[in-house]
Amino acid sequence: MLKYSLKRLAQSLVTLFIIITVVFLLMRLMPEEGYFGQAYEKLDEAQREAILTGMGLRDPMHIQLKNFYKSLLVGDLGKSIIYRPKVPIAEILKTKIPYSLYFGLTAVVISLIAGISLGIIMARSKSQIWDKLGTGYIVFINAVPAAVYYLFLQLYVTDIFKLPILFKPDNTASWILPAISMSLGSTAAYAMWMRRYMVDELNKDYVKLARAKGLRNKTIMVKHIFRNAFVPMAQYLPSTLLYTISGSIYIESLYSIPGMGGLLVDVIQRQDNTVVQALVLIYSSIGIIGLFLGDVLMAMFDPRINLQKKGGAR
Amino acid sequence: MTDSKIILSVKDLVVKFRLRGRVLTAIREASLDLYEGESLAIVGESGSGKSVFTKTFMGLLDGNGWVDFGEILYGGENLAKYKTEDDWIKIRGKNIAMVFQDPMTSLNPLKTIGKQVQETVELHQCLKKEEAKKAVIEILNDVGIPEPERRYNQYPHEFSGGMRQRVVIAIAVACKPKILICDEPTTALDVTIQAQILGLLKRLKKKYKLTTIYITHDLGVVANVADRIAVMYAGDIVEIGNCEEVFYNAQHPYTWALLSSLPQLGVKGKPLHSIKGTPPNLFHKIKGDAFAPRNPRALKIDFVEKPPYFTVSPTHKAKTWLLDPRAPKVEPPESIEILRKQWGLSKDA
Ligand SMILES: Nc1ncnc2c1ncn2[C@@H]1O[C@H](COP(=O)(O)OP(=O)(O)OP(=O)(O)O)[C@@H](O)[C@H]1O
Ligand SMILES: [Mg+2]
């Protein structure tokens, strides 16, 4: 277990390192206007070169890369250029992260509760009305582009329930719709997985044996089926959890929530290279951490994972 | 075995399934008396209804199936009338237990085997945690699992197939059931392990005074484990009798066909016998003797009317018109003749 986790951790770190490198190299391909802001038009070629050299961007690539690693190691993400000139990016993020986190966590809680319950209900009433309704919901969420139902919610539901269209931090009612919108996708995903894994388990032989030995259906559901169905879920949970937090890019700009997702859209449009770079790094790290935690969580629940080291059956 | 008392009595059982809007009849008026302490084997080809028949004793039919007619008398109650889980809980595990075919999938891969046996023990014997654990270790020891204390905390994947089947058997006998149904308990295991498991089942049967039902394809192992043999075809028991009677003095053409296809009975230089044709379509109503269309020796009446049981001896009966006094003399296949002679019975005697 510990050995497995350490191995997966090492793998994750290597992946992270590769991603940092790739992101850095890709960012070098961005138009260089991004390093000047408003001043770009007023400067002549020689002045621009001087500024770029001053920022270290004319150094040989391996030197640049080395400097980049170094500053990352001490937690220095660099300074914003256009978005808020000369302000450290970490400073900017400090004001943004809490919003994303609150919304993300609210959405995660909603979708975990709603999704898993829906999945269980669907599995138990297989091919009956609840199952069909739930399947309809899942198909809808997967087939219709998120932007469409997000917009629909924002335009019509706000109207029906007299909710504010845009987010205002001091207006609690304005929190509701973004959080719900954000949870719709992962609710569908959790419900789909939960249903599938539970139905898979339901048809397994050990369930027949459990019935034959005299356990009640309810006991079997809770102690065998739910528990077993949850294990493959555990692998995805951290990823989707983190994904929900970062998946708010669209919703944050839709409701103008001053969070990280809105920021990403903003800085891409305004070509603030250093901030884009920092955000891309953060999102990809989140992805890697999610996968890592998922695997560790799964290993905690499933004794068979450790099989890889030792020969199993004796 | 006729001197011991009947523990389970099945009368004219009809089991049906609904499949894609159509109804199929898997068990067609099958009857069976099971005697206390005996060991009965049920043989028959795949799809003949062996599993379905025995599953009804425990209320374990799949959701699309139901008992349409008939009685299953056990302990003064008619199990065929049982509907709710509360009814069946009283039977399952405590009174009738089952060992399934595939030990690789019969255990929950995410629970320690100790816990899985313990679940049963706690359920039926109302023991407290520590006592229950002790009981479990004792049972594990009983079914021949070495180092049961250590094994208690291991997961199914740490066990070989044979060892897992021992665990499944431990679960089945944990509550000291009266009847143990073994549905092809060794089919998934290799030959040496098969013999060990059969040996274990025989030992446990004696120790716990179990009445056992073995379901098997393998007529070869039957004589080894069973006192009586019931031959099942298309959802009905067409012949039943003591082991010797069914082996050496078989009466039903289907039993002949089964026996003739045993490799041990092949006549040198001749290809092994195989039963021609396919079992009847269970969606249709079957007229007469279900085996008639595949039986080269079928009589006219076999296609018209279902034969009743004809008594061969007090312990031996078969459902075939050949046993009717009015039936013409029909020669059984060569290998059956040889068997009968071996038993010291000539067909004229
Ligand atoms: N859930 C079900 N739905 C529909 N038909 C079923 C169902 N279960 C069993 N049957 C049918 O009932 C018949 C008897 O099946 P059963 O499993 O009892 O055969 P079996 O003698 O145990 O065969 P095997 O030796 O292959 O295990 C088969 O024709 C099968 O198709
Ligand atoms: Mg079967």
Side-chain angles (χ1 to χ4, degrees), chain A residues 205 211 213 216-217 224 228, chain B residues 85-86 105 108 116 119:
Chain A
D205 284 350
R211 280 220 293 159
K213 66 188 188 189
R216 285 178 185 278
N217 278 336
H224 287 265
N228 284 26
Chain B
E85 191 175 47
D86 287 317
T105 55
N108 185 341
Q116 295 190 53
E119 260 179 356

Side-chain angles (χ1 to χ4, degrees), chain B residues 17 19 24 26 46-52 62 64 184 217 282:
Chain B
F17 288 97
L19 202 59
L24 71 84
S46 198
S48 55
K50 306 179 296 290
S51 301
V52 168
D62 294 334
N64 60 336
E184 310 193 25
H217 286 288
L282 298 175

Side-chain angles (χ1 to χ4, degrees), chain B residues 6 9-11 30-35 228-231 236-242 245-246 249-252 255 308-320 323:
Chain B
I6 292 172
S9 176
V10 185
K11 292 204 168 78
S31 299
L32 173 73
D33 285 334
L34 192 65
Y35 296 99
R228 285 203 304 157
I229 300 178
V231 180
D236 196 3
I237 293 174
V238 295
E239 181 159 6
I240 184 165
N242 291 340
E245 290 170 330
V246 175
N249 192 25
Q251 299 297 327
H252 197 285
T255 317
Y309 273 126
F310 289 94
T311 309
V312 185
S313 82
T315 52
H316 185 188
K317 56 188 179 174
K319 278 186 179 174
T320 167
L323 288 169

Side-chain angles (χ1 to χ4, degrees), chain B residues 76-90:
Chain B
E77 298 212 32
N78 182 5
L79 305 188
K81 288 263 172 340
Y82 278 15
K83 289 267 164 353
T84 63
E85 191 175 47
D86 287 317
D87 289 333
W88 284 114
I89 292 288
K90 294 181 292 184

Side-chain angles (χ1 to χ4, degrees), chain B residues 10-18 23-30 52-53 56 61 64-72 78-83 285:
Chain B
V10 185
K11 292 204 168 78
D12 301 323
L13 190 71
V14 177
V15 176
K16 298 192 174 181
F17 288 97
R18 187 177 303 280
V23 172
L24 71 84
T25 311
I27 302 297
R28 299 176 308 121
E29 297 174 15
V52 168
F53 185 58
T56 56
L61 284 181
N64 60 336
W66 70 95
V67 172
D68 199 59
F69 187 81
E71 298 180 336
I72 304 166
N78 182 5
L79 305 188
K81 288 263 172 340
Y82 278 15
K83 289 267 164 353
K285 189 161 168 44

